[in-house]
């Protein structure tokens, strides 16, 4: 099983600032990595797939980068609706696994 | 794009069988794998398994002995059964569209159902 870790666990950011979230895989997943956003009481929403491709209707302030074992989700100019929990997920190995999440809250 | 709507019993006693169904509206049911994922405070997001329109399945080995995922192509629905539940199975259960049947490497989850909270308590 590929273990996904995320850091930090919580990130406090002021509106309008940039947030940088990290995700690490226990072994290479190539670029087979997705990012999701989850708000309280809602299902996760796909933001990024293929490590860097934005999903349909996702604003350009969300960007993903990385390959192999190290990945980054960057949110530029945080809006009020961006405060949420973010998860990474690998799909390089058929036993799909998720990271524990990073909570982005208001500073 | 597809919309997923799920339903099922929300309160179970230990040793009972969890049963959930997910209906897929719109899109192409036969093109994708259809997944069950759960989320609990203790274990986070956990992939349970997937099925395609032909009934081909893949399961998480940690749950495989207790899980059955089935499909009803006449209704564009798929279902989850988890037997012998315990308190550790208490979670929000989601259905979600997964990867393409004809090609590997597209196994992100989008869209998701609304989620069903399943509580196991005596």
């Amino acid at each position: 099983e590929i273990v996904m870790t995320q850091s930090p666990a919580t990130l406090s950011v002021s509106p309008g600032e940039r947030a940088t979230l990290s995700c690490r895989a226990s072994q290479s997943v190539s670029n087979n990595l997705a990012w999701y956003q989850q708000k309280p009481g809602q299902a996760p929403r796909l933001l990024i797939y293929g490590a860097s491709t934005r999903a349909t209707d996702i604003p350009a302030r969300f960007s993903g980068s990385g390959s192999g074992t190290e990945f980054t989700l960057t949110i530029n100019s945080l809006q009020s609706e961006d405060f949420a929990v973010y998860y990474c997920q690998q799909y390089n190995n058929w036993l799909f696994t998720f990271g524990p999440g990073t909570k982005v809250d208001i500073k | 794009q597809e919309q997923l709507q799920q339903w099922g019993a929300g309160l179970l006693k230990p040793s009972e069988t969890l049963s959930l169904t997910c209906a897929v509206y719109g899109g192409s049911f036969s093109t994708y794998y259809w997944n069950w994922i759960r989320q609990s405070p203790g274990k986070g997001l956990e992939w349970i398994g997937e099925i395609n329109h032909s009934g081909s399945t893949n399961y998480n080995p940690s749950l495989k002995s207790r899980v059955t995922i089935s499909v009803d192509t006449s209704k564009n629905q798929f279902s989850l059964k988890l037997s012998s539940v315990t308190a550790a199975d208490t979670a929000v259960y989601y259905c979600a569209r997964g990867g393409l049947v004809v090609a590997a490497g597209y196994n992100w989850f989008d869209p998701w159902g609304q989620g069903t909270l399943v509580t196991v308590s005596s």
Side-chain angles (χ1 to χ4, degrees):
Chain A
E1 174 180 331
I2 297 176
V3 177
M4 308 300 292
T5 56
Q6 292 185 243
S7 62
T10 302
L11 184 61
S12 296
V13 185
S14 299
E17 292 187 340
R18 174 185 298 171
T20 302
L21 290 66
S22 295
C23 173
R24 175 175 292 179
S26 61
Q27 63 190 76
S28 177
V29 298
S30 186
N31 68 335
N32 295 314
L33 185 107
W35 288 94
Y36 301 86
Q37 176 194 66
Q38 187 177 34
K39 297 179 181 179
Q42 298 182 15
R45 177 177 71 143
L46 177 70
L47 296 176
I48 301 282
Y49 61 89
S52 61
T53 302
R54 279 190 303 277
T56 302
D57 294 331
I58 300 303
R61 64 180 181 273
F62 291 91
S63 63
S65 63
S67 66
T69 62
E70 301 281 344
F71 300 88
T72 300
L73 175 69
T74 301
I75 313 171
N76 286 308
S77 188
L78 267 156
Q79 306 295 301
S80 57
E81 61 266 30
D82 300 335
F83 293 97
V85 180
Y86 293 83
Y87 297 95
C88 59
Q89 174 237 333
Q90 68 80 20
Y91 51 92
N92 190 66
N93 179 300
W94 70 269
L95 177 47
F96 314 123
T97 51
F98 294 84
T102 291
K103 181 179 181 180
V104 178
D105 65 15
I106 300 175
K107 187 174 182 180
Chain B
Q1 191 182 19
E2 296 84 354
Q3 291 189 343
L4 281 63
Q5 184 172 358
Q6 59 183 100
W7 63 90
L11 181 59
L12 298 173
K13 291 181 168 51
S15 80
E16 293 185 334
T17 295
L18 178 156
S19 181
L20 298 173
T21 297
C22 183
V24 180
Y25 300 99
S28 175
F29 189 76
S30 62
T31 302
Y32 298 95
Y33 275 92
W34 302 95
N35 292 256
W36 288 100
I37 297 158
R38 69 181 183 180
Q39 184 174 31
S40 62
K43 296 198 72 175
L45 287 160
E46 181 179 32
W47 177 72
I48 299 170
E50 63 181 2
I51 193 167
N52 67 15
H53 67 287
S54 300
S56 177
T57 55
N58 292 300
Y59 296 133
N60 188 323
S62 69
L63 298 167
K64 187 174 183 177
S65 64
R66 299 192 291 130
V67 170
T68 301
I69 298 176
S70 58
V71 66
D72 184 343
T73 55
S74 68
K75 297 180 180 179
N76 282 7
Q77 295 177 359
F78 62 107
S79 298
L80 169 70
K81 290 189 185 300
L82 180 66
S83 64
S84 305
V85 297
T86 70
D89 295 310
T90 294
V92 177
Y93 287 74
Y94 294 101
C95 57
R97 190 189 76 182
L100 295 169
V101 172
V102 295
Y106 297 88
N107 300 90
W108 53 85
F109 303 115
D110 178 54
W112 297 56
Q114 79 275 21
T116 301
L117 174 60
V118 176
T119 302
V120 181
S121 175
S122 56

